[in-house]
Amino acid sequence: MEPTVNQFQVNPEDSKEKEAAQISNIVVFETIGTLLVIYGALAAENNFGLSLVYFISLILFGRLSGGYFNPICTLIGFIDGGINQKKTLTFVGSQILASLIAGMLIMPLFANSSNLPYYESLPTHQVLGTLMSEIAGSVIFFTFVQIQQAENTKITTTQVQSAAFISIIYFVARQYTATMGNSLFNPAAAFGLQLFYGIYYGRWNQMINLLMFVMGPWIGALLAITFYWKIYTPTLVSKSSN
């Protein structure tokens, strides 16, 4: 049993004009939606606030662009067959653009905040622990993202239900990070905001955080994708055949 995706499924009969319109929607609304999520991380004072902003972003921009807001979620959509290569690259480019805009234009508004995302003053011996907790949270989040994106394994059906479900998983997964309040499980956001710390503050030593907040989500996502395809899906096949 192969997982199938019906939402945003590639249609070979789409005209060039329709595809061009879809690409434009991705560039505009995926950039805005990703900016909103990053803004939520800067402005929200707690995990619930950020999860609520994430839910609002999914509701507002989910049907307009796809509502991935994260290169890893985009990769999962590509693996599942929900988006083609051209749209995948457009999604990722828009997400990176949003992170750079956030780092250069939005982050300075919160420069004096005591709870900046991705800013840490950790001794070396704590870096590994933070990396492991980042991986753990990412495994939880991206496992359920993978399950929800595939049509015959998704847990909810409507857009509102799906947005609520993913936002709740986002909230739960962030509880497992040692730096709760600072992580978005989003390597594009981490990269863009780290550049801000280097340029605005001149604190290039913060680049160590790229190890935790860029590599951590990718490692967690790799484990989540492997679990889904090698364990979760075969188990469903075995149960359905019995």
Side-chain angles (χ1 to χ4, degrees), residues 187-209:
F191 178 75
L193 299 186
Q194 286 300 326
L195 284 181
F196 165 81
Y197 292 126
I199 296 172
Y200 187 83
Y201 283 123
R203 296 176 180 174
W204 295 105
N205 60 324
Q206 284 288 301
M207 291 298 105
I208 186 64
N209 287 354

Side-chain angles (χ1 to χ4, degrees), residues 87-207:
K87 290 182 180 178
T88 298
L89 294 175
T90 305
F91 271 114
V92 174
S94 300
Q95 292 152 4
I96 293 175
L97 174 63
S99 71
L100 294 175
I101 293 173
M104 296 298 104
L105 300 181
I106 299 179
M107 183 72 100
L109 301 176
F110 299 89
N112 296 321
S113 172
S114 60
N115 191 35
L116 288 174
Y118 300 118
Y119 181 82
E120 295 295 333
S121 299
L122 293 174
T124 304
H125 69 275
Q126 291 184 9
V127 170
L128 180 60
T130 300
L131 175 62
M132 295 306 294
S133 66
E134 187 76 4
I135 293 173
S138 297
V139 168
I140 295 171
F141 179 62
F142 293 118
T143 294
F144 282 96
V145 167
Q146 177 84 72
I147 291 172
Q148 185 62 22
Q149 284 198 25
E151 178 62 24
N152 58 354
T153 60
K154 67 192 308 181
I155 297 173
T156 63
T157 55
T158 69
Q159 182 197 10
V160 174
Q161 289 174 341
S162 180
F165 175 75
I166 291 298
S167 299
I168 291 171
I169 296 300
Y170 192 60
F171 175 87
V172 172
R174 280 168 48 81
Q175 302 290 348
Y176 283 83
T177 61
T179 53
M180 198 268 289
N182 288 355
S183 173
L184 302 179
F185 308 131
N186 191 327
F191 178 75
L193 299 186
Q194 286 300 326
L195 284 181
F196 165 81
Y197 292 126
I199 296 172
Y200 187 83
Y201 283 123
R203 296 176 180 174
W204 295 105
N205 60 324
Q206 284 288 301
M207 291 298 105

Side-chain angles (χ1 to χ4, degrees), residues 25-130:
N25 283 346
I26 291 172
V27 172
V28 174
F29 296 113
E30 189 72 9
T31 301
I32 296 174
T34 306
L35 278 171
L36 181 57
V37 172
I38 298 175
Y39 176 82
L42 294 168
E45 297 182 358
N46 52 55
N47 193 15
F48 175 79
L50 175 54
S51 300
L52 180 61
V53 172
Y54 192 72
F55 171 76
I56 294 172
S57 300
L58 289 172
I59 292 296
L60 291 178
F61 302 105
R63 290 193 178 278
L64 295 174
S65 70
Y68 290 101
F69 310 140
N70 187 321
I72 297 177
C73 294
T74 305
L75 176 63
I76 291 174
F78 175 71
I79 292 174
D80 285 341
I83 49 177
N84 60 25
Q85 183 177 10
K86 182 177 181 179
K87 290 182 180 178
T88 298
L89 294 175
T90 305
F91 271 114
V92 174
S94 300
Q95 292 152 4
I96 293 175
L97 174 63
S99 71
L100 294 175
I101 293 173
M104 296 298 104
L105 300 181
I106 299 179
M107 183 72 100
L109 301 176
F110 299 89
N112 296 321
S113 172
S114 60
N115 191 35
L116 288 174
Y118 300 118
Y119 181 82
E120 295 295 333
S121 299
L122 293 174
T124 304
H125 69 275
Q126 291 184 9
V127 170
L128 180 60
T130 300

